[in-house]
Amino acid sequence: MAATGAGASGPPAETVAAAFRRVYDTLKAELLRDPCFDFNDDATQWLDSMLDYNVLGGKLNRGLAVVESYKLLKAASGTEPNEEELFLACILGWGIEWLQAYFLILDDIMGNSQTRRGKPCWYRLPKVGLIAINDGLVLRSQISRIFRRYIYGKSYYVDLVDLFNEVEFQTTSGQLLDQIATNEGRKDLSKYNIQVYCGIQDSLLFILFAAKHFLPYKVACALLLFGESLDNYGQVKRILVEMGVYFQSQDDYLDCFGEQEVIGKIGSDIEDFKCSWLFVQALERADEKQKGVLFENYGKSDPACVAIVKDLYNELDLQWVFSEYERESYENLISAIEAQPNEAVRSVLKSFLHKIYKRRK
């Protein structure tokens, strides 16, 4: 089906968010009537609710950022995207949202999570359980069908498929490192340090599941649609990875100090033995007595132990430490962005940084 079909049109005054959401309806309808699989009524109803619950569950900022990035790239070149280009940008954005949903389903199961985006995790629903594993695989397989329908034959098709495959490899590899580090931490928490923390984050070069490292990925999709080779953007990739590490540190901070009603989930890094930014900072600043308290209480689900760890974080003034780290990260990133020769890329990078700076959810 050509990109100029039913999903590509829309009222001229339609907002980007509304147009983006409407493309989802087109994609879902096509997947539900996929001629290669004869879904019965029960399967169709299951897929319908599963897609809405998981793919539409978030704010859709990741997918919308592809559209926004592409518009910024076009504007910096002195042109405006046409209707078909905007539609294709929406397709790439939904590819990211589909992949994100796939990762979150599996991540919630592995992490024994309770809530996601302010509601029970998909696998926690009584009717779902571990069927969610297959649902995640269905989501991943649907991405290929979407891209084949709309992107096949485009000059960037192979690079796009390769990018998504690389994202999946990097994310699952990073998850492996995270799990191994956590298992080692259960035996000896003193092994956690800033090098281990950064090693885990650096392994997730494109994205960190649970909405953390999608920044480089969004830009990469927009650049491919813009006709650029990703081989020319090594420095941009490094900036985005640094931005992603900063984003992850924010997530770790909010897991402890954020409000559940705002962040949409119950923080559990302390209970889960996570090699978090806060724990690493605490370990660097604690005296021997404080380390003893930290080691005795970290990784326990007892609310009293969690409260003791949080009290120690406050005793070490980690909220101020994070505030200073956030300020320095912003200044360093702005400096690196300003050094980029491409005005369009500078605009995209600044747009992302300003969206995440001092975020609270």
Side-chain angles (χ1 to χ4, degrees), residues 16-310:
V16 171
F20 187 70
R21 174 63 175 77
R22 188 168 47 81
V23 171
Y24 168 81
D25 293 332
T26 298
L27 295 177
K28 184 178 78 167
E30 291 171 347
L31 291 168
L32 292 180
R33 62 172 185 264
D34 191 326
C36 292
F37 193 86
D38 186 18
F39 293 115
N40 59 33
D41 289 344
D42 289 339
T44 299
Q45 291 174 12
W46 182 281
L47 286 174
D48 193 339
S49 62
M50 186 272 286
L51 289 169
D52 285 351
Y53 199 93
N54 294 287
V55 180
L56 287 185
K59 298 182 290 295
L60 309 181
N61 287 340
R62 298 165 192 81
L64 283 167
V66 177
V67 183
E68 179 184 339
S69 298
Y70 185 70
K71 291 181 70 176
L72 287 171
L73 290 169
K74 293 287 285 188
S77 67
T79 61
E80 291 290 330
N82 60 37
E83 190 174 327
E84 180 178 1
E85 290 171 336
L86 283 177
F87 178 70
L88 291 176
C90 289
I91 293 295
L92 299 190
W94 279 116
I96 288 179
E97 293 292 344
W98 245 265
L99 191 64
Q100 171 73 351
Y102 156 58
F103 284 138
L104 292 186
I105 285 177
L106 299 185
D107 184 51
D108 286 341
I109 295 172
M110 288 185 286
N112 197 32
S113 300
Q114 299 289 328
T115 60
R116 170 72 66 182
R117 296 165 167 172
K119 58 186 180 181
C121 296
W122 175 244
Y123 84 99
R124 287 282 180 181
L125 299 185
K127 69 172 184 177
V128 180
L130 293 183
I131 297 175
I133 295 174
N134 191 69
D135 289 335
L137 296 174
V138 167
L139 290 172
R140 179 62 183 96
S141 65
Q142 287 177 337
I143 298 170
S144 299
R145 303 191 74 76
I146 292 170
F147 285 173
R148 187 168 64 183
R149 175 180 289 266
Y150 288 104
I151 310 298
Y152 186 80
K154 303 290 184 184
S155 60
Y156 53 88
Y157 176 76
V158 173
D159 287 336
L160 182 68
V161 172
D162 183 62
L163 176 63
F164 271 68
N165 289 338
E166 185 66 12
V167 166
E168 186 171 19
F169 170 74
Q170 294 287 348
T171 303
T172 52
S173 298
Q175 170 74 330
L176 175 62
L177 287 178
D178 185 35
Q179 293 299 317
I180 290 175
T182 299
N183 287 339
E184 290 300 309
R186 295 179 192 276
K187 303 173 187 175
D188 183 2
L189 282 168
S190 65
K191 290 185 177 181
Y192 283 170
N193 55 52
I194 196 63
Q195 288 74 31
V196 171
Y197 179 80
C198 289
I200 294 171
Q201 310 318 321
D202 287 346
S203 70
L204 305 172
L205 294 176
F206 294 98
I207 60 172
L208 188 64
F209 48 94
K212 297 171 184 175
H213 264 185
F214 262 86
L215 299 173
Y217 193 22
K218 292 179 286 193
V219 175
C221 285
L223 287 170
L224 286 174
L225 183 58
F226 192 61
E228 295 283 348
S229 170
L230 300 184
D231 295 336
N232 300 328
Y233 289 92
Q235 182 58 37
V236 171
K237 178 180 172 181
R238 284 189 286 273
I239 291 173
L240 287 166
V241 169
E242 286 302 313
M243 206 182 296
V245 173
Y246 162 51
F247 195 103
Q248 172 60 35
S249 71
Q250 289 177 314
D251 245 42
D252 292 353
Y253 176 85
L254 293 172
D255 184 272
C256 178
F257 294 113
E259 298 178 12
Q260 179 185 338
E261 296 77 13
V262 176
I263 64 176
K265 64 177 182 178
I266 302 172
S268 60
D269 283 357
I270 294 174
E271 296 94 319
D272 294 341
F273 272 103
K274 289 296 182 180
C275 181
S276 77
W277 187 90
L278 287 171
F279 181 85
V280 168
Q281 299 300 321
L283 203 57
E284 287 186 351
R285 291 165 172 77
D287 58 29
E288 290 306 311
K289 180 179 179 181
Q290 291 170 323
K291 286 181 180 178
V293 172
L294 195 58
F295 292 163
E296 182 179 349
N297 293 279
Y298 200 75
K300 295 181 179 178
S301 57
D302 185 345
C305 294
V306 173
I308 290 172
V309 173
K310 290 185 176 181

